[in-house]
Amino acid sequence: VYREKENLGYDLDASNMTSLLHVEVKGISGDELLFPITANELNQAKNDPNFYLFAVTKARTKSAEIHRFSGAALRKKFRFNAISFIAKSVNP
């Protein structure tokens, strides 16, 4: 089930007869595991035991490779750097 528009921190639900996964997918043109991840997605990775991120490297080629990470594995494998902030006025 496609869930991205619901802003849950993942793109879709994937299930079989015994389990349900909350799946986030990142398509990467090159072969380096480098991609943006939102605070909401990272929060989901930290708090949801059913969260999995699938990173597809060389996504635009016939030799695409799929890399799967549980939330815990994602947090161990990667370093997360802030790339933007939101500024909100403190005085109305």
Side-chain angles (χ1 to χ4, degrees):
V1 177
Y2 186 69
R3 307 294 295 268
E4 184 179 21
K5 291 182 181 180
E6 297 174 57
N7 199 30
L8 299 172
Y10 58 93
D11 293 332
L12 55 100
D13 289 330
S15 64
N16 61 20
M17 299 299 258
T18 60
S19 63
L20 171 69
L21 300 181
H22 299 143
V23 177
E24 176 63 24
V25 179
K26 300 295 183 183
I28 304 163
S29 295
D31 58 5
E32 183 179 3
L33 285 168
L34 175 68
F35 50 87
I37 186 168
T38 67
N40 198 23
E41 292 163 351
L42 191 54
N43 187 52
Q44 196 70 23
K46 289 178 182 176
N47 297 311
D48 181 356
N50 294 328
F51 179 90
Y52 280 83
L53 184 136
F54 288 79
V56 183
T57 53
K58 300 183 240 174
R60 297 177 181 233
T61 71
K62 291 181 180 181
S63 59
E65 297 177 13
I66 299 172
H67 310 266
R68 183 182 82 165
F69 304 96
S70 67
L74 181 72
R75 293 188 330 272
K76 287 180 184 176
K77 171 85 175 168
F78 294 93
R79 180 180 63 232
F80 301 95
N81 296 317
I83 58 173
S84 66
F85 296 90
I86 185 97
K88 182 177 180 182
S89 173
V90 294
N91 298 322

